[in-house]
Amino acid sequence: MGTAPSTPDTGLLRRMRLARDTMDRDWAEPLDVAAVAAVAGYSRYHFVRLFRDVYGETPGAYLARRRIERAQDLLRNANLTVTEICMLVGFTSLGTFCTRFKEQVGMTPTEFRGRARTAGAAAIPGCFVLLWAGGFRADGPGTGATIEKAARRRPS
């Protein structure tokens, strides 16, 4: 007689869920595996092994998949360039973004946009999407300067 497969304890599942929720919430930000592992209370390497055991993929693969899913939505609905979407969803390299996108979706982002857009509704203007996503960076990426902050600096 074989034994039933062991199930992870609820404490482990709760900690993995906290880490996954962090990645789901902060997907567009630069995320460090060590920082996400700290949220779960594990070392980086132990966290990667546990995450893979619980969810069937590494944290990096999970985050890339979620970013590509969000990119697909933007390609369907927003009037932004592929480069703008790449940066908006958290990739720092257009080449990596396009490679990962093609691996996951089976076509390039440009091909996907061409097939996904219908003749119905117009695309959302890119300026609205960028503003909704946190504003335009006046001082470059990572500084947190939005349009509102830049407007306050302008002399009246």
Side-chain angles (χ1 to χ4, degrees):
M1 291 247 155
T3 60
S6 65
T7 57
D9 66 64
T10 55
L12 167 68
L13 293 176
R14 185 184 59 76
R15 293 163 101 180
M16 289 296 109
R17 182 60 189 210
L18 282 172
R20 195 172 88 171
D21 287 348
T22 298
M23 288 188 279
D24 284 340
R25 183 184 59 246
D26 300 331
W27 54 268
E29 300 298 321
L31 286 173
D32 178 67
V33 174
V36 177
V39 168
Y42 294 107
S43 72
R44 175 186 176 154
Y45 300 106
H46 192 59
F47 170 70
V48 170
R49 283 191 299 274
L50 289 172
F51 192 94
R52 186 180 327 122
D53 290 345
V54 171
Y55 293 113
E57 62 187 336
T58 65
Y62 175 79
L63 185 59
R65 182 173 55 80
R66 299 295 291 180
R67 287 175 170 169
I68 296 295
E69 289 168 359
R70 285 168 173 91
Q72 286 177 287
D73 189 46
L74 290 171
L75 286 164
R76 268 187 222 101
N77 301 309
N79 188 18
L80 294 168
T81 67
V82 172
T83 303
E84 289 169 329
I85 291 171
C86 163
M87 299 301 164
L88 193 60
V89 299
F91 282 90
T92 55
S93 163
L94 182 61
T96 301
F97 170 70
C98 291
T99 300
R100 291 271 177 99
F101 192 96
K102 189 166 184 176
E103 287 171 357
Q104 184 172 323
V105 180
M107 62 185 84
T108 67
T110 304
E111 291 169 336
F112 178 84
R113 171 179 275 159
R115 291 183 186 182
R117 287 217 175 146
T118 60
I124 300 167
C127 58
F128 289 121
V129 176
L130 291 171
L131 188 60
W132 175 82
F136 299 95
R137 306 256 185 218
D139 298 334
T143 61
T146 61
I147 254 183
E148 295 83 15
K149 289 179 186 176
R152 279 186 246 135
R153 279 188 245 143
R154 250 187 266 147
S156 301

